[in-house]
Amino acid sequence: MPNPISRTRVLEQSRRAPAAWALAWALAIACLLIAPLAHAATLPDAPATALPAEEGYRLWLRYVPVAGEWLARYRAGATELVGAGTSPTLRAAHAELVRGLTGLLGTAPQPSRQVTRDGAIVFGTPGTSPLVRRLPLDLRPAGAEGYLIRTVTIEGHSATVIAANTDIGVLYGAFGFLRLLQTRQPIGHLDIATSPKISRRVLDHWDNLNGTVERGYAGDSLWKWESLPQYLSPRYTDYARACASIGINGAVLDNVNASPFILTPLYLRKIAALAGVLRPYGIRVYLSVPFSEPVSLGKLKSADPLDPRVQAWWSAKVAEIYRDIPDFGGLLMKANSEGQPGPGDYGRTQAQGANLLARALAPHGGIVMWRAFVYTTGGHSEDRARQAYDTFKPLDGKFADNVLVQVKNGPIDFQPREPFHPLFGAMPHTHLMLELQITKEYLGQRTSMVYLGPLFEEALRADTWARGAGSTVARVTDGSLYGERLTAIAGVANTGSERNWTGSIFNQANWYAFGRLAWNPDLAAREIATEWVAMTFTSDPRFLAPVVKLMMGSREAAVDYMTPLGLAGQMAAGTHFGPGPWVAPARGTPPDWSSTYYSRPGASGIGFDRTATGSDAIAQYSPHVAAQWGNLATCPDDLLLWFHHLPWDYRMRSGRTLWDSLVRHYDRGVEWVKQARATWGTLAPYVDAQRYRLTADYLAIEEQDAQWWRDASIAYFQSISHLPLPAGSAPPPDTLAHYEAFCIPYVEGSPGPNPACPPADVTVPR
Ligand code: GCW
C-alpha cells in the first residue's frame, strides 16, 4: 500500500525550499532596514536588539506577526474561519486557530457559518461539519488521528479545508496548518494527508509525588499535587497544547521509581482532574506503579502474580481507576530493576508479572508498558549490556496481547552513543516499544546545547537486519516489520516548572523532535530542527542556517568531549554530570556502577571486548550486524571501543593510533563548543535579549564543562597509556589528582548527592 505520510513529506518538502528562501530574503531586507538590529551584530555580548524579551514560555507556539510579502499572502488565505461542532476538542482546535492566526496575521479571522469569500478555512469532521461532509474527500489516509489539509473550492470560493475522521485529527490538523504559516510555506495549493505511524506516543514523566523530578533539569514537577484536584493551573492546558501540537497522545504522570501512594484514592482524584484537562487535547493519562502495590496499599501478604488474591486486587484497583478515568491509558512498570520490586521476588518471570497487570487492564482496553531495563546486580555482572536480552528473549511470545515491552534505545542506559538494543528485532512475537530519553541525563543535563534529533534518528534508523536489510528499529517500533497494530514509543520528558519548561531554550527542541518523530519516525532530524528554529526563533536564513548547523553538530560534539570512539559510562557516579573516568568499582556497589567497568583501561589498551573472545554480547545481534561490528575492518569507529578492547597503539583506518585518535576527539569536541559560542555570538541581532543571553551563558558553561571533560579524561587515560599527546594537543593544565578531587556535590534531578564528593574535596574550577 502506498504510504500517505511519505507522500505528504515529499509534497511538503518540494514546496518548502523555495518558499522558505523567498521569505527569508524578504525578512533579510526588512531586518537591514532596522538600524539598531544591524548595529547589534557587532555587539554580541550586549545585544541591543529591538525584539521584545521572551522567556520561552510559548515554546514553538509563539505565533509572532508575519512580515513582508508573506503577510498579504497568508491574510488572503485566512479570511474567515468556518467550523462547526462543539466538542471540547473542536473548541480547542477553533481556539488554537484563532489564537495562531490572530498572532501571525495581526487580525482575527472572521467567524462564519458558510464560505462567503475566498480564503476561508473550513475545519471539522464529516460528522460535525456539513461542509466537510459534502466535499469529495478521501479521508481514509487520515486514519483515526491524522488529517487532510487541502485547497478546495466551495461555493465558487477558494478555501482550505482541515478535515479528519475524528475531532482529535482536526486539532492536529489545526496545529499542522499553523505550522505551515509559522515555517513560511505557501498555503495556496495544499494537498497534505498525514497520520501517525505509531499509535501511542507517550511522554514518561519521572516526576515524584514530593514535587521533585528524577533526572529533571528544569525545576520541579509540572504537577502541583497539593493543589489538585481543586486548582487546575493554566500550565496544564499549555502543556497539553504543546504536546498536541506535535502529536503526543499520552503522558505517564509519575516516576518509574513509583510511590505506593500513587494509587491511593487521594491521588486518583488528583489524577482524574489532570486527565480532565488533558483529554480535549487527545492525551491519555498513564501511571507508573510499584509491583508491590498489593502489599503496601492492599495490605496483602504477597504481590505474587500467580496468587488469585493479588490478581483480584489488581482487577479491583484497575476498575476503580477506570471509574474516574474512563479513557485511562494503562500502567508502566519498572520491575526487578535497580532495587524495585518485581515478579522475580516470587520466582516468577517478567512475563508473568506483566500478564498480571494485563489481565486487569484488558477488559477496559488498557495496556501495560513493561520495561526491559533490568539488570540484576551481582549475578550477571560480566556484561550488563547482555542482561535485558538474556532475560527477555526467552520470554518472546509469552506476553499478553495488551503488553508492550519497553526497550531503551541502547543496551546500557541512554549514553551519548550506544549501538541499538539487541532486543529490537529479536522478539517477533512480542510488542516492543522504544524508550528514548528526552531529558539529557548523560548529555550535559540542563546547560549543554545538545540537540537530540540526530541521536533519535540514529536510533530509529539503526538496522537490526532481523528480516534482512531495512529491518530498522523504526520498523520494529511502528509495527510494520512484524505486522503489529499495538505500537508505542516513549520519551522520558524534560519538562519542569521553569517558565521555559525545559531548563533551556534549546532543550525545547528535544521535546519537539521527540513528538515529531513519534508521529513519523522517518522524518529527518535536520528537517525537524529547521522547523523548530523557524517557529521558536525566526526563519531568517542568516539565523536559521547557522543555528540548524549548530544543532546538528551538537550531539556529536558531546560524544567527542565525553565518550568518543564507543566509550560509555564515564560520567561522575550518581549525578552523571561531569567526567569520572577514574571511578572504579567500589565496595558495596555493583561493578557496573563504575566507569572503568565500561572502559577497561590498562596496559593492554582500552575498550570492552564484547566479541566472542570477551562477553560475546555481540552474538545477541543478527549475524549480519554481529559480523560487521565484530570485524575490526568493518566496525565503525564510533562503536569501536564498545565492542573491542584494543591496544593504545592500534592503527585506526585514519592512519592515526588509537591513542592519538582518542585525544583528537576530545580536542574536537571542545573546539566545536568554542566555535558554537562564537557563532551564537554573531546571532544576537536575530534573537530577543533574554533568550540570547540565556543561550550565550549556557554555551559558556558548556565550553567550561567540555574543557573539564577533555582535560580530566586525557589526564586519566594518559596516566595509563603513558603516551605523549599528539602534536598540537595541549597538556591538561592540572594534575590527575586535581581532576579526581574536583567534584560537584549536588546536581539537579539526582536522587542524592554525589557519593564520591566529600565536602573537603569541593573546590572551585579553574
Ligand atoms: O538512567 C537510569 C537513571 C535512573 C532511572 C533509571 C531508569 C528512573 O539514572 O535515575 O530511574 O535509569 O531508567 O529506570
Side-chain angles (χ1 to χ4, degrees), residues 206 214-215 255-257 334 338 371 373 408 413-414 441-442 576:
W206 285 357
E214 183 158 348
R215 312 304 178 185
N255 190 355
V256 285
N257 293 327
K334 170 177 178 177
E338 300 189 327
R371 295 178 92 223
F373 180 66
K408 290 188 182 184
D413 192 11
F414 299 137
E441 176 180 354
Y442 295 96
H576 299 164

Side-chain angles (χ1 to χ4, degrees), residues 569-573 577-584 594-596 708-709 712-713 716 739:
Q570 300 301 294
M571 296 77 196
F577 188 84
W582 46 79
V583 176
S594 70
S595 301
T596 55
W708 175 30
W709 263 101
S713 305
Y716 171 67
Y739 297 115

Side-chain angles (χ1 to χ4, degrees), residues 198-249:
I198 300 171
S199 58
R200 312 259 179 159
R201 306 172 298 278
V202 182
L203 285 185
D204 286 1
H205 291 271
W206 285 357
D207 292 27
N208 298 312
L209 298 189
N210 68 4
T212 60
V213 182
E214 183 158 348
R215 312 304 178 185
Y217 312 105
D220 293 329
S221 172
L222 279 178
W223 325 126
K224 300 299 166 208
W225 295 109
E226 297 79 7
S227 52
L228 282 164
Q230 292 88 349
Y231 175 63
L232 297 171
S233 161
R235 281 198 80 150
Y236 304 151
T237 306
D238 286 333
Y239 163 84
R241 287 178 50 235
C243 285
S245 75
I246 47 177
I248 286 169
N249 68 0

